[in-house]
């Protein structure tokens, strides 16, 4: 199992540009990750009501599994869960996928990174999705700072937002600083 990941600080406008470009170039579906009763699916992530908004104030926000159009993800049961209708959706059983954890703006004063990752990089389809999404991100990136890609609009707002890497309650010394 080989994993790859990268992070990008991006505003909602940056994320719109990135994901519209990605969706235009690749036929995919997004599936909401986590514990649930029903599979939540969309072909256009930009239509999600929380797209580009960080509601939790930390780096784990809104996670989606990306698969090619013809793929239905496998669901995982947890034996500890007594409700037989609850399942979990994540990347563990879905080798041909990429996971995105969409960051964005938190309460108009902080920006959290979006993380794109896969634990199945050796899978050809997973690698293709990861590479295509990274290319879309790089199209709308101004620079790289401390390993984070910085979206064009995010960079122009660098004085407006805290660039939080962990949590809104973390000391500012952990924020991304620009040289």
């Amino acid at each position: 199992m080989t994993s790859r990941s990268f992070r990008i600080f991006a505003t909602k406008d940056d994320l719109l540009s990135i994901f519209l470009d990605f969706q235009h170039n690749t036929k995919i579906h997004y599936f909401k990750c986590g514990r649930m009763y029903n599979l939540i699916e969309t072909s256009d992530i930009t239509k999600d009501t929380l797209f580009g908004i960080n509601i939790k104030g930390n780096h784990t926000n809104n996670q989606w599994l990306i698969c090619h159009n013809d793929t239905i993800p496998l669901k995982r049961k947890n034996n500890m869960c007594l409700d037989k209708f609850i399942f979990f959706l994540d990347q563990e059983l879905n080798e041909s996928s990429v996971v995105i954890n969409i960051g964005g703006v938190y309460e108009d004063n902080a920006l959290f990174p979006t993380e794109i990752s896969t634990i199945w990089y050796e899978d050809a389809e997973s690698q293709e999705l990861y590479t295509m999404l990274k290319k879309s991100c790089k199209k709308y990136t101004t620079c790289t700072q401390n390993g984070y890609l910085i979206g064009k609009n995010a960079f122009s707002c660098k004085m407006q937002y805290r660039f939080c890497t962990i949590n809104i309650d973390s000391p500012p010394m952990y924020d991304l600083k620009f040289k």
Side-chain angles (χ1 to χ4, degrees), residues 88-107:
F88 296 85
L89 186 63
D90 56 25
Q91 205 175 26
E92 181 181 1
L93 300 176
N94 296 290
E95 294 183 20
S96 298
S97 66
V98 168
V99 171
I100 55 172
N101 191 357
I102 299 178
V105 176
Y106 175 76
E107 294 185 353

Side-chain angles (χ1 to χ4, degrees), residues 63-74:
Q63 195 172 70
W64 293 83
L65 187 74
I66 305 173
C67 301
H68 281 286
N69 251 3
D70 56 350
T71 303
I72 301 297
L74 299 173

Side-chain angles (χ1 to χ4, degrees), residues 121-163:
Y121 191 72
E122 68 276 4
D123 179 86
E125 288 183 31
S126 179
Q127 189 176 82
E128 177 193 9
L129 289 169
Y130 181 86
T131 302
M132 293 298 292
L133 188 47
K134 192 166 189 176
K135 282 181 183 178
S136 292
C137 285
K138 286 189 172 190
K139 271 187 192 178
Y140 300 97
T141 297
T142 295
C143 63
T144 302
Q145 186 74 31
N146 292 358
Y148 291 90
L149 298 174
I150 310 297
K152 291 177 182 179
N153 193 51
F155 187 77
S156 69
C157 297
K158 66 183 177 188
M159 302 308 273
Q160 179 182 349
Y161 298 123
R162 279 182 63 190
F163 281 62

Side-chain angles (χ1 to χ4, degrees), residues 15-41:
L15 292 169
L16 278 168
S17 297
I18 289 164
F19 283 96
L20 288 174
D21 180 70
F22 175 63
Q23 291 167 184
H24 175 74
N25 292 322
T26 313
K27 299 289 185 213
I28 46 93
H29 277 174
Y30 302 87
F31 299 91
K32 185 80 173 144
C33 290
R35 177 182 157 167
M36 60 191 79
Y37 286 102
N38 298 313
L39 195 61
I40 299 170
E41 174 186 4

Side-chain angles (χ1 to χ4, degrees), residues 56-58 106 112 162 164 166-172 174-175:
K56 295 181 180 178
N58 63 42
Y106 175 76
F112 284 88
R162 279 182 63 190
C164 292
I166 303 170
N167 187 308
I168 196 66
D169 297 326
S170 299
Y174 296 114
D175 293 354

